[in-house]
Amino acid sequence: MTTATPKPAEDRQEDSSSPEPSDTVSAETRPRRRSPAKRNAAVTRQRILEVAMAEFAEHGFSGGRIDRISAAADVNVSMIYHYFSNKDDLYLAALEASYKIIRDREKTLDVADANPRQALKALVELTFDFLSTDSYFVRLIMNENLMMGRMVQQSATIPHMTRPLLDSLRTILKSGQKANVFRKNIDAENLYVSILGLCFIHVSNRYTLSSMFQHDFSEPEWLAKRRLVVVDVVTSYVANVKAK
Amino acid sequence: MTTATPKPAEDRQEDSSSPEPSDTVSAETRPRRRSPAKRNAAVTRQRILEVAMAEFAEHGFSGGRIDRISAAADVNVSMIYHYFSNKDDLYLAALEASYKIIRDREKTLDVADANPRQALKALVELTFDFLSTDSYFVRLIMNENLMMGRMVQQSATIPHMTRPLLDSLRTILKSGQKANVFRKNIDAENLYVSILGLCFIHVSNRYTLSSMFQHDFSEPEWLAKRRLVVVDVVTSYVANVKAK
Amino acid sequence: MTTATPKPAEDRQEDSSSPEPSDTVSAETRPRRRSPAKRNAAVTRQRILEVAMAEFAEHGFSGGRIDRISAAADVNVSMIYHYFSNKDDLYLAALEASYKIIRDREKTLDVADANPRQALKALVELTFDFLSTDSYFVRLIMNENLMMGRMVQQSATIPHMTRPLLDSLRTILKSGQKANVFRKNIDAENLYVSILGLCFIHVSNRYTLSSMFQHDFSEPEWLAKRRLVVVDVVTSYVANVKAK
Amino acid sequence: MTTATPKPAEDRQEDSSSPEPSDTVSAETRPRRRSPAKRNAAVTRQRILEVAMAEFAEHGFSGGRIDRISAAADVNVSMIYHYFSNKDDLYLAALEASYKIIRDREKTLDVADANPRQALKALVELTFDFLSTDSYFVRLIMNENLMMGRMVQQSATIPHMTRPLLDSLRTILKSGQKANVFRKNIDAENLYVSILGLCFIHVSNRYTLSSMFQHDFSEPEWLAKRRLVVVDVVTSYVANVKAK
DNA sequence: GATGAATGAGACTTCATTCAT
DNA sequence: TATGAATGAAGTCTCATTCAT
């Protein structure tokens, strides 16, 4: 699985062709360009955004530093303001971009035709992997909640992005119920909250849990076991069963 | 259920009479000062600490303001430095004091024998209610995790507090398995993490979830429904069943 | 009376056809460029200048914004620097251009012979109307004075423009004194200053006066009354009278 | 006549007694205090305010620099924010303080019993002297008007302060009319505006007028002549006369 | 023990200006 | 001639912290 960590835009080709071209003679008459040869607004904006996601995830909103972002993104501080107006807006953009990543990933799920049990399992595993692999998204969301949703409340896109997810889940549930493998009366929203809770807790509470149980909750082996349990919990819940 | 919020020091009397108690001579030579000077060191210190707990729980470490604390505690800013040296130390002191409150509260838990299904249900509901009723504890834990367990790692007492809980859970599981109502091979620690996750998520992520799904996740009616679901999820998972 | 506000360049044709006019050959060899490049240097420069006049009149020198000017003139910021080097120079250019407009306007005055009382009244009313109708001129003058005449001191043409006005006033006074309707020993310069002060104050101090007296000093009804008072004050002063 | 320039608080007694007291021996054990020995909130606040009046008068609001103010007032920048919250509020305080100075001065006039002609003359001369002696008040007001009264509109005290002035003027007018030396139907507000205009113009427009008429409008001799003219203009206007 | 006044570093933000094409 | 991207200095403001009494 690919990680969700902010990374440079794939389609960037820093000085791929221009510096030191074939014509070696003219190279001297032409002025020497400094490293980020071809600056481009969209690329720069994206670079700032990705760095900001990491910065705010690591230090929170008040702890996040514009200076650090500008240094890491290798741009002048003013560019941040040029593209994002102010710290609040930059933070919100980072938050929205993070949500977009997971929501986009969810769209890759094949919800319609598959075996519904398999589809649900895929959704759970995708969520688990996304949150566990890199904690930046989890930290960003924890931060936002500690701020009592000050910024998320101003976002129109975040509720909007949730729609398809809920739709997918409902489709899966309906198809499973039609096939008689899922029980009736499952609230899709509540189910999603359960999935999220099961996939979130060991990341969000990694340090306190590690301390409580005296072992590292980010160890791959432990995560692998946990992943099985989470899928088991969810599928047990939705399964159409009889008590023995 | 009573809340975990720090409360005024009225019902506490630690060293209320301690400073200079026995020395009868100096009591008369010392000039009697009228209020505001000499309020009583321990009491002032405690008041600052309690206000700091609330401040850091509400705003986190970088979001927490010394000024706000001094105003709320009704002391001069300098007093905070007099008693706690700096913001870092004050934060640590506040965190430790908070954990003490939580630990004390947990001692009231009584997860006795009863019917194992019933006992498990009681444990889940107790956890759910505890976390949902007052977000103070949840916010504190979130904060600590965002700070990467800076403080929790130094604590020897915190792992301790987990023991009894885990023991209770193991007792319940064993008894349920013996009665053939619970399936085998349930990892107690992992089960606890699941319970915690299911009970934690709508409190920790209250604001982002509210924004995503466009309704208030702290509404009593919603919480009541959620509580049923959580119990259902947990009991479905441990139940000894056959797929239909 | 028409306003003194800078207006779009439509009705102006300075050097509209000047660049390369006679050389008929080059017209065909030169490739025809489509917009936006090569808009026409003089026109662009003029547009910038006019916008700058309005900007500095409205916000003063330090309050004036290069960005706002570039946006309003619909040119890239760099163009401003291309044509005017820096903010200081642009301000000076704007000031000079403004004075030119004013000077041109004043040439339309016709303070001929007539009845001297009538002539004086006409001059006062013209001044009053000119200043009251559009505050552009007033604001510009205020600005220049706040900058301690930085620019006006360098201008040779400005003293010139005063001459005709002062001459008119002297002619009127002399004629009124000969007719025995004006008192002797009136200093023309001082009289002009008085007229200016009486006509200027409610425009220059419009906002502070409105605040002090709690009504709008730019209301037409109030201005009409004020106009009568100003004429009355001036004519009372110059009148040849006996105390009762 | 006393000047209106911001000056140190009269009742300040910088290190009047403490440094180097009589007891020469203890002088060495006692730590050396730096110059502004006894800092006092009210005094510091006042010092900041007075410096701010001068700064904003000289450079306007956007041109005014907090740094310069803090340096001139010999306080740390933060103190300015401690006492005045922000630049806007500081500016407004400076504006209000300036208005208070002239309004207080006006209150010293003996309006009731004197000869009404004399009383009016005194008011005119007071206004003239106040505005002419030091231009800081005039500049401050010009600035505010260039800002379109942005700050003055938020002041409740400024309209309030105007009341007594208007009352005084009405008292004088009524008394003069009763004594049959003033004509009827004089609007007090409009009269004040005229007085202000006559006393204001040569200060507000000092530089442009100097340039127009090619002599210095702040020369004492010229001001003395101008003062006579202004009184003459005002008294001519209110006088109860017959045309010759 | 307690207070009020003051400090300084560093945060966010703005704005005139320039660089490279 | 014209543009879009970028820069750096400096401005306003905040906040943890200390000084002097």
Side-chain angles (χ1 to χ4, degrees):
Chain A
M1 202 194 77
T2 55
T3 132
T5 319
K7 52 176 182 312
E10 304 143 35
D11 53 343
R12 197 151 27 119
Q13 325 144 286
E14 336 188 26
D15 20 343
S16 60
S17 58
S18 51
E20 270 43 74
S22 51
D23 186 349
T24 49
V25 180
S26 67
E28 287 181 306
T29 55
R30 220 182 295 129
R32 212 59 160 249
R33 296 208 203 87
R34 280 172 305 295
S35 83
K38 200 159 201 165
R39 295 274 171 136
N40 169 276
V43 168
T44 301
R45 200 195 121 97
Q46 184 61 22
R47 203 167 58 242
I48 293 171
L49 191 57
E50 283 161 358
V51 169
M53 287 160 69
E55 174 74 14
F56 288 127
E58 191 166 346
H59 300 98
F61 177 76
S62 6
R65 292 288 172 262
I66 296 284
D67 268 18
R68 256 188 323 239
I69 294 171
S70 87
D74 190 29
V75 293
N76 190 282
V77 183
S78 313
M79 293 315 295
I80 295 177
Y81 289 90
H82 179 68
Y83 288 117
F84 296 96
S85 300
N86 53 44
K87 195 184 180 183
D88 278 36
D89 286 10
L90 175 59
Y91 172 84
L92 184 54
L95 197 61
E96 288 179 339
S98 303
Y99 269 106
K100 188 167 176 353
I101 291 176
I102 185 171
R103 292 293 102 94
D104 281 353
R105 200 153 302 194
E106 285 160 359
K107 281 181 195 151
T108 66
L109 289 176
D110 184 15
V111 158
D113 55 343
N115 167 347
R117 263 199 282 233
Q118 207 53 41
L120 183 60
K121 179 165 180 266
L123 172 66
V124 172
E125 289 177 343
L126 182 148
T127 306
F128 187 95
D129 292 341
F130 179 77
L131 299 180
S132 300
T133 306
D134 196 302
S135 57
Y136 97 96
F137 178 69
V138 170
R139 294 180 64 83
L140 213 46
I141 285 181
M142 288 168 76
N143 248 305
E144 176 61 14
N145 280 289
L146 278 181
M147 293 175 67
M148 300 182 177
R150 207 184 82 186
M151 310 304 296
V152 88
Q153 278 157 8
Q154 294 167 34
S155 171
T157 65
I158 288 171
H160 197 254
M161 286 191 292
T162 311
R163 213 68 241 257
L165 168 65
L166 257 190
D167 289 346
S168 301
L169 201 48
R170 288 207 180 97
T171 306
I172 294 173
L173 285 177
K174 203 164 287 177
S175 127
Q177 286 160 343
K178 196 176 280 175
N180 221 22
V181 292
F182 289 171
R183 63 152 110 165
K184 311 286 183 215
N185 297 324
I186 298 173
D187 177 45
E189 180 196 290
N190 227 316
L191 176 59
Y192 177 73
V193 173
S194 297
I195 294 170
L196 187 66
L198 291 164
C199 296
F200 204 90
I201 190 71
H202 61 278
V203 187
S204 67
N205 292 22
R206 168 179 165 191
Y207 296 96
T208 46
L209 285 174
S210 294
S211 174
M212 282 171 68
F213 294 104
Q214 298 283 298
H215 69 87
D216 185 357
F217 271 59
S218 58
E219 261 189 346
E221 302 84 54
W222 189 89
L223 286 175
K225 264 182 22 197
R226 172 79 192 148
R227 194 172 187 258
L228 294 174
V229 171
V230 169
V231 171
D232 199 349
V233 171
V234 175
T235 49
S236 300
Y237 172 60
V238 298
N240 196 7
V241 296
K242 262 193 189 144
K244 204 178 179 178
Chain B
M1 203 190 77
T2 55
T3 120
T5 318
K7 48 185 178 321
E10 304 151 33
D11 51 345
R12 195 176 324 208
Q13 325 144 285
E14 348 185 18
D15 33 328
S16 63
S17 56
S18 51
E20 266 48 70
S22 53
D23 188 350
T24 50
V25 180
S26 66
E28 290 182 303
T29 54
R30 224 184 296 125
R32 214 57 162 246
R33 295 207 204 89
R34 283 162 309 290
S35 57
K38 183 107 199 161
R39 269 203 201 152
N40 188 328
V43 168
T44 301
R45 200 195 120 96
Q46 185 59 27
R47 205 169 53 245
I48 293 170
L49 193 56
E50 282 161 357
V51 169
M53 287 158 68
E55 174 74 13
F56 287 126
E58 193 166 345
H59 301 98
F61 177 74
S62 10
R65 292 287 171 265
I66 296 283
D67 268 18
R68 241 175 348 223
I69 293 170
S70 90
D74 191 29
V75 295
N76 192 281
V77 189
S78 312
M79 288 285 66
I80 295 176
Y81 288 89
H82 180 70
Y83 287 117
F84 298 95
S85 302
N86 54 40
K87 194 184 180 184
D88 277 46
D89 288 8
L90 175 59
Y91 174 79
L92 292 187
L95 205 57
E96 284 176 340
S98 303
Y99 268 105
K100 184 170 179 336
I101 291 180
I102 293 153
R103 237 170 291 138
D104 288 350
R105 203 158 298 245
E106 280 172 352
K107 285 177 191 155
T108 68
L109 297 190
D110 176 33
V111 208
D113 44 354
N115 166 344
R117 265 200 281 233
Q118 208 52 43
L120 183 61
K121 181 167 179 263
L123 182 105
V124 171
E125 289 177 343
L126 188 145
T127 306
F128 187 95
D129 293 341
F130 178 74
L131 299 179
S132 299
T133 306
D134 196 304
S135 56
Y136 172 75
F137 175 67
V138 171
R139 297 180 66 82
L140 205 65
I141 299 267
M142 288 168 76
N143 242 305
E144 178 61 12
N145 279 289
L146 279 178
M147 297 188 77
M148 300 183 176
R150 207 176 74 171
M151 189 272 156
V152 93
Q153 280 159 6
Q154 297 166 29
S155 169
T157 55
I158 288 168
H160 264 240
M161 94 187 203
T162 315
R163 257 294 115 84
L165 182 67
L166 212 51
D167 289 347
S168 304
L169 198 49
R170 288 210 179 93
T171 307
I172 294 172
L173 283 178
K174 204 163 288 177
S175 130
Q177 286 161 342
K178 197 176 280 174
N180 220 23
V181 292
F182 289 171
R183 62 153 111 164
K184 311 288 183 211
N185 297 325
I186 297 175
D187 176 43
E189 179 195 291
N190 229 315
L191 177 58
Y192 176 71
V193 173
S194 295
I195 294 171
L196 187 65
L198 291 164
C199 295
F200 203 88
I201 190 71
H202 60 278
V203 187
S204 67
N205 291 23
R206 170 181 164 189
Y207 296 97
T208 47
L209 286 174
S210 294
S211 176
M212 282 172 66
F213 295 105
Q214 299 280 295
H215 70 86
D216 184 358
F217 272 61
S218 59
E219 259 190 347
E221 302 85 54
W222 189 88
L223 286 174
K225 265 182 19 197
R226 172 79 192 149
R227 195 172 185 258
L228 295 174
V229 171
V230 169
V231 171
D232 200 348
V233 171
V234 175
T235 50
S236 299
Y237 172 61
V238 298
N240 196 8
V241 296
K242 261 192 190 146
K244 203 179 181 179
Chain C
M1 206 190 78
T2 55
T3 121
T5 318
K7 46 187 180 318
E10 306 152 31
D11 52 345
R12 195 179 322 210
Q13 322 145 288
E14 350 184 15
D15 34 327
S16 63
S17 56
S18 52
E20 267 52 67
S22 53
D23 187 350
T24 49
V25 179
S26 67
E28 289 180 306
T29 54
R30 219 184 299 125
R32 214 54 163 248
R33 294 206 204 89
R34 285 162 308 291
S35 58
K38 182 103 196 162
R39 270 202 201 154
N40 187 329
V43 168
T44 301
R45 201 195 119 96
Q46 184 59 26
R47 205 169 54 245
I48 292 170
L49 193 57
E50 282 161 356
V51 169
M53 288 158 66
E55 174 75 13
F56 289 125
E58 192 165 346
H59 300 98
F61 178 74
S62 11
R65 293 286 171 266
I66 296 284
D67 267 19
R68 251 187 326 236
I69 293 171
S70 89
D74 192 29
V75 296
N76 191 281
V77 188
S78 311
M79 287 285 68
I80 295 176
Y81 288 90
H82 180 71
Y83 287 117
F84 298 95
S85 304
N86 55 40
K87 195 185 180 184
D88 276 46
D89 288 7
L90 175 59
Y91 174 79
L92 292 187
L95 205 56
E96 285 176 339
S98 304
Y99 268 104
K100 185 170 179 335
I101 291 180
I102 293 153
R103 235 170 293 137
D104 289 351
R105 203 156 298 244
E106 280 171 352
K107 285 178 193 152
T108 68
L109 297 190
D110 177 32
V111 208
D113 44 351
N115 166 344
R117 265 199 282 231
Q118 209 53 44
L120 183 61
K121 181 168 180 258
L123 181 103
V124 171
E125 289 178 345
L126 188 146
T127 306
F128 187 95
D129 292 341
F130 178 74
L131 298 178
S132 299
T133 306
D134 197 304
S135 57
Y136 171 75
F137 175 66
V138 170
R139 297 179 66 83
L140 205 65
I141 299 267
M142 288 169 75
N143 241 304
E144 178 60 12
N145 278 288
L146 279 178
M147 297 188 77
M148 299 183 176
R150 205 176 78 172
M151 189 273 157
V152 93
Q153 279 159 8
Q154 297 167 30
S155 170
T157 54
I158 288 169
H160 263 241
M161 94 188 203
T162 315
R163 255 297 115 84
L165 181 67
L166 211 50
D167 289 347
S168 305
L169 198 48
R170 288 208 177 95
T171 307
I172 294 171
L173 283 178
K174 206 163 286 175
S175 128
Q177 285 161 342
K178 196 175 282 174
N180 220 23
V181 292
F182 289 171
R183 62 154 110 164
K184 310 291 183 211
N185 298 324
I186 298 173
D187 176 42
E189 179 196 291
N190 229 315
L191 177 59
Y192 176 71
V193 173
S194 296
I195 293 171
L196 187 64
L198 290 165
C199 296
F200 203 89
I201 190 71
H202 60 279
V203 187
S204 67
N205 292 23
R206 168 180 167 191
Y207 296 97
T208 46
L209 286 174
S210 294
S211 176
M212 283 171 66
F213 295 104
Q214 299 281 294
H215 70 86
D216 184 358
F217 272 61
S218 59
E219 259 189 348
E221 302 85 53
W222 189 88
L223 286 175
K225 264 184 17 198
R226 172 81 192 146
R227 196 173 185 258
L228 294 173
V229 170
V230 169
V231 171
D232 199 348
V233 170
V234 175
T235 50
S236 298
Y237 171 60
V238 298
N240 195 9
V241 295
K242 260 193 192 145
K244 205 180 180 179
Chain D
M1 202 193 71
T2 55
T3 130
T5 320
K7 53 177 181 313
E10 304 144 36
D11 52 344
R12 203 159 13 128
Q13 326 144 286
E14 336 189 26
D15 22 337
S16 61
S17 58
S18 51
E20 270 41 75
S22 52
D23 187 351
T24 50
V25 180
S26 67
E28 288 180 306
T29 56
R30 219 181 298 127
R32 214 57 161 250
R33 295 205 205 89
R34 281 172 305 293
S35 84
K38 199 160 204 167
R39 295 275 172 136
N40 168 278
V43 168
T44 301
R45 201 195 120 98
Q46 185 62 22
R47 204 168 58 243
I48 293 170
L49 191 57
E50 282 161 358
V51 169
M53 286 158 70
E55 174 74 12
F56 287 128
E58 191 166 346
H59 301 98
F61 178 76
S62 4
R65 291 289 170 263
I66 296 284
D67 268 18
R68 241 167 0 215
I69 294 172
S70 87
D74 190 29
V75 294
N76 190 281
V77 183
S78 315
M79 292 314 295
I80 295 177
Y81 289 92
H82 179 66
Y83 289 117
F84 295 96
S85 301
N86 53 44
K87 195 184 179 183
D88 278 38
D89 286 8
L90 175 59
Y91 172 84
L92 184 55
L95 197 61
E96 288 180 338
S98 302
Y99 269 106
K100 189 169 174 350
I101 291 176
I102 185 171
R103 293 293 103 93
D104 282 353
R105 201 152 301 195
E106 285 160 359
K107 282 181 196 151
T108 66
L109 289 177
D110 184 14
V111 158
D113 56 343
N115 166 345
R117 263 196 283 230
Q118 208 53 43
L120 183 61
K121 182 167 178 258
L123 173 66
V124 172
E125 289 177 344
L126 183 148
T127 306
F128 187 94
D129 293 340
F130 179 77
L131 299 179
S132 300
T133 306
D134 196 303
S135 58
Y136 96 97
F137 178 68
V138 170
R139 295 179 63 85
L140 213 46
I141 287 181
M142 288 168 76
N143 248 304
E144 175 61 15
N145 279 289
L146 278 181
M147 293 175 70
M148 300 182 178
R150 208 185 82 187
M151 311 303 296
V152 88
Q153 279 157 9
Q154 294 167 34
S155 171
T157 65
I158 288 172
H160 197 255
M161 286 192 290
T162 311
R163 217 64 240 261
L165 168 64
L166 257 190
D167 289 346
S168 302
L169 201 48
R170 288 205 179 97
T171 307
I172 295 172
L173 285 177
K174 205 164 285 176
S175 127
Q177 286 161 343
K178 197 176 280 174
N180 220 24
V181 293
F182 289 172
R183 61 154 111 164
K184 312 285 183 214
N185 298 324
I186 297 172
D187 177 43
E189 181 195 290
N190 227 314
L191 177 58
Y192 178 72
V193 173
S194 296
I195 294 170
L196 187 66
L198 291 165
C199 296
F200 203 90
I201 190 73
H202 60 280
V203 187
S204 68
N205 291 25
R206 169 180 164 189
Y207 296 96
T208 45
L209 285 174
S210 294
S211 174
M212 282 170 69
F213 294 105
Q214 298 282 298
H215 69 88
D216 185 357
F217 271 59
S218 58
E219 260 189 346
E221 302 84 53
W222 188 88
L223 286 174
K225 265 183 17 198
R226 172 79 191 148
R227 194 172 186 256
L228 294 174
V229 170
V230 169
V231 171
D232 199 350
V233 171
V234 174
T235 48
S236 300
Y237 171 59
V238 297
N240 196 8
V241 296
K242 260 191 191 146
K244 205 180 181 179

